[in-house]
Amino acid sequence: MFAVIATGGKQYKVAVGDEIDVEKLDTAVDGSVDLRPIMLVDDDDNVTVGADDLAAATVTATVVDQYLGEKVRIFKYKNKTGYRRKTGHRQPLTRVRVESISK
């Protein structure tokens, strides 16, 4: 059984026991979170799609960790003018473990 969920502007295919990294969620470590909206649920080739059919479906996950992702370096440069700017960014992420998927 697996589901396709949307969180943080991205879609993820998850199954029970999977650990995924998503955009930061405001939930404490070891806290429980319901991941919504659910786009699709597949239960042994019995595919469920559509907002009406998935209204009762839930994907429950436990927050494992809150951390910063890899550093991304941004370097701006303009030729012949001496313009150089170097900055960086680390995206805050949340690692969650999928505990259950119900239809």
Side-chain angles (χ1 to χ4, degrees):
M1 180 176 213
F2 70 88
V4 176
I5 59 162
T7 181
K10 300 176 187 77
Q11 295 181 2
Y12 301 93
K13 178 182 172 183
V14 297
V16 175
D18 285 353
E19 283 191 4
I20 60 171
D21 298 330
V22 298
E23 298 285 328
K24 185 172 193 247
L25 301 173
D26 291 330
T27 306
V29 175
D30 294 331
S32 180
V33 64
D34 288 334
L35 300 172
R36 298 193 66 86
I38 300 170
M39 314 304 276
L40 175 140
V41 174
D42 184 352
D43 185 15
D44 296 328
D45 295 329
N46 185 9
V47 178
T48 304
V49 294
D52 296 336
D53 298 331
L54 295 172
T58 59
V59 174
T60 305
T62 302
V63 175
V64 176
D65 193 15
Q66 301 272 9
Y67 68 100
L68 294 175
E70 268 189 48
K71 179 172 273 196
V72 178
R73 299 188 189 277
I74 298 106
F75 185 73
K76 297 179 180 180
Y77 171 80
K78 290 188 179 177
N79 195 16
K80 298 180 184 173
T81 62
Y83 176 81
R84 292 178 171 89
R85 295 291 180 266
K86 182 178 174 185
T87 59
H89 174 74
R90 293 184 71 184
Q91 184 69 32
L93 298 172
T94 301
R95 178 166 290 148
V96 296
R97 181 183 311 113
V98 178
E99 299 296 333
S100 67
I101 300 172
S102 64
K103 281 191 354 176

